[in-house]
Amino acid sequence: MNNYPKLHNATWPGLVGKGPDSEPPISFDDMLKMTASADVDGAKFDGVDLGLMDPHISIDGSDDDIKRLADKVSGYGLEIGSLVAPIWGNPAMGTAAERAQFVEMVRKACHFGQRLRELGVRPGGVVRIDSSSSPQDWDADPAGNTKLIAQTFREACDVAADYGEKLAAEGEICWGGMQSWRTMIDTLEAVDRPNMGFQADMSHTLLYTMGYNREQDRILPENYDWQDRAVLTDALKTLTAALRPWTIDFHVAQNDGTVFGSGSHDKTGRHCQALDPNGKLDVANDAGYWLRDENGVLTKAFRHICWDGCMFPNAVMTNPQTWNDILATMLKVRDLHGWRE
């Protein structure tokens, strides 16, 4: 049986979309417990990807706090992979002070990453970022704002390099300069740093093919019939051929072809449950367009993959069957597109 890529669960769905105008957050400890408890015929999750955000994890935690974090996660038999830097509120195309704070948040996240590697609990992974800017604000000056975002990202990359970290920009329709596959590539090319790459989420990138927030970059035809699988396959091949060379982090996810937002999170691609009958993706098959090259050869571009299930209702997230279904889906992806070491 394949044992790579390692299978991770994300902890930040316990926070994203939760809050005062939504449901209460789910604690970090509960996210760890539910991840560690999932079991499919003896198979388990290998690790977690972490959002460095309150109330789960304080980005201002001391080295002793980081050691306690490492001990807590490893105590569940889990490793740590990719980290999310809490850059929101500091737009990458904002004022000089905002952009400086963006870079400082990345620096703090990279320190976390370096220490966790040194402690032996984090064998790999990236630090995830986005532009923290709306598509509407970006549209006011696309060329100028892309230039500003790229400048901020370059500064963040230079800081990350000092810690031995790579940065991955998450392609999501709610972020300016990243709201379509073409704007994402334009931004990545403008950054031009060897430690800058793309974080592909199957839910978000499906919305790329539909032209949400950037109609001129639509790949699927307007009023596309979802029963015509061949057209979707061609669209996914076009999308992944363009972005796969940049991809250094990967989220397995499902999407029903709609957008959704709750709590403090802007509208973005709806993450569906793994077995949602309305899901538009054949998750195990379609993950292969990201994990294999155009000739079907495994890229092995990352050594773990992660499930991202943001903005599920708490009743869904606290149901053990939810996590077993997710783990079973992840295992199918690895069976089809993994390898053994």
Side-chain angles (χ1 to χ4, degrees):
M1 295 179 62
N2 294 329
N3 60 356
Y4 280 90
K6 297 300 183 183
L7 308 181
H8 285 205
N9 189 27
T11 61
W12 58 82
L15 298 177
V16 176
K18 310 299 181 183
D21 53 350
S22 184
E23 295 183 301
I26 297 174
S27 74
F28 183 65
D29 285 353
D30 284 344
M31 292 299 298
L32 289 180
K33 290 173 186 175
M34 291 186 291
T35 301
S37 296
D39 187 302
V40 177
D41 298 327
K44 310 282 285 183
F45 279 107
D46 300 298
V48 286
D49 286 6
L50 307 180
L52 302 179
M53 56 193 85
D54 293 321
H56 276 189
I57 302 167
S58 171
I59 191 64
D60 293 313
S62 66
D63 281 2
D64 286 343
D65 292 328
I66 297 173
K67 175 65 164 60
R68 283 189 284 270
L69 170 66
D71 290 344
K72 175 178 286 191
V73 175
S74 61
Y76 284 97
L78 300 168
E79 63 186 24
I80 296 172
S82 298
L83 310 175
V84 181
I87 42 73
W88 308 287
N90 302 293
M93 60 184 210
T95 65
E98 288 169 334
R99 290 185 283 114
Q101 186 64 11
F102 181 106
V103 175
E104 176 61 8
M105 290 298 102
V106 172
R107 186 197 66 76
K108 290 180 178 182
C110 289
H111 175 74
F112 259 84
Q114 182 185 59
R115 289 294 297 127
L116 290 169
R117 291 200 318 273
E118 292 168 351
L119 291 165
V121 73
R122 183 172 176 254
V126 304
V127 173
R128 198 191 88 194
I129 62 173
D130 55 61
S131 68
S132 186
S133 307
S134 75
Q136 295 75 25
D137 289 343
W138 178 89
D139 276 333
D141 180 9
N145 285 327
T146 295
K147 184 177 180 180
L148 263 182
I149 292 169
Q151 177 183 333
T152 307
F153 281 10
R154 281 196 299 271
E155 293 174 11
C157 283
D158 293 344
V159 167
D162 292 337
Y163 291 86
E165 291 288 337
K166 293 183 177 181
L167 303 183
E170 182 183 26
E172 194 171 353
I173 62 169
C174 64
W175 302 127
M178 307 169 65
Q179 73 268 43
S180 82
W181 64 287
R182 291 191 188 277
T183 59
M184 187 72 258
I185 291 172
D186 288 345
T187 297
L188 290 168
E189 288 179 342
V191 175
D192 191 27
R193 285 290 188 274
N195 63 331
M196 180 88 228
F198 179 66
Q199 191 269 305
D201 178 297
M202 293 177 68
S203 175
H204 298 317
T205 53
L206 178 66
L207 275 291
Y208 273 1
T209 68
M210 302 171 68
Y212 270 99
N213 285 341
R214 187 76 175 168
E215 178 65 27
Q216 60 266 48
D217 293 341
R218 167 190 287 275
I219 301 174
L220 286 172
E222 195 170 358
N223 300 318
Y224 163 65
D225 178 2
W226 289 99
Q227 301 304 310
D228 192 344
R229 175 70 196 187
V231 174
L232 177 59
T233 296
D234 286 345
L236 292 174
K237 287 181 176 179
T238 297
L239 176 74
T240 53
L243 284 168
R244 190 191 310 111
W246 295 95
T247 304
I248 59 173
D249 201 46
F250 183 62
H251 288 174
V252 179
Q254 180 58 283
N255 188 296
D256 65 4
T258 65
V259 298
F260 178 69
S262 68
S264 61
H265 199 72
D266 290 334
K267 287 187 177 179
T268 186
R270 181 188 292 271
H271 284 91
C272 295
Q273 293 186 59
L275 305 182
D276 191 317
N278 296 314
K280 304 304 184 187
L281 294 166
D282 179 343
V283 175
N285 177 79
D286 297 345
Y289 298 124
W290 293 102
L291 298 170
R292 297 178 180 273
D293 68 16
E294 64 277 8
N295 297 314
V297 178
L298 290 172
T299 67
K300 301 183 181 181
F302 22 83
R303 295 176 65 79
H304 83 273
I305 57 178
C306 181
W307 175 270
D308 185 350
C310 284
M311 294 183 284
F312 288 170
N314 284 359
V316 170
M317 293 188 66
T318 54
N319 181 354
Q321 189 59 45
T322 297
W323 304 103
N324 287 341
D325 290 345
I326 289 168
L327 178 57
T329 301
M330 299 280 281
L331 287 164
K332 289 179 181 178
V333 171
R334 186 163 71 184
D335 287 345
L336 284 177
H337 311 296
W339 66 94
R340 183 158 190 86
E341 292 184 11

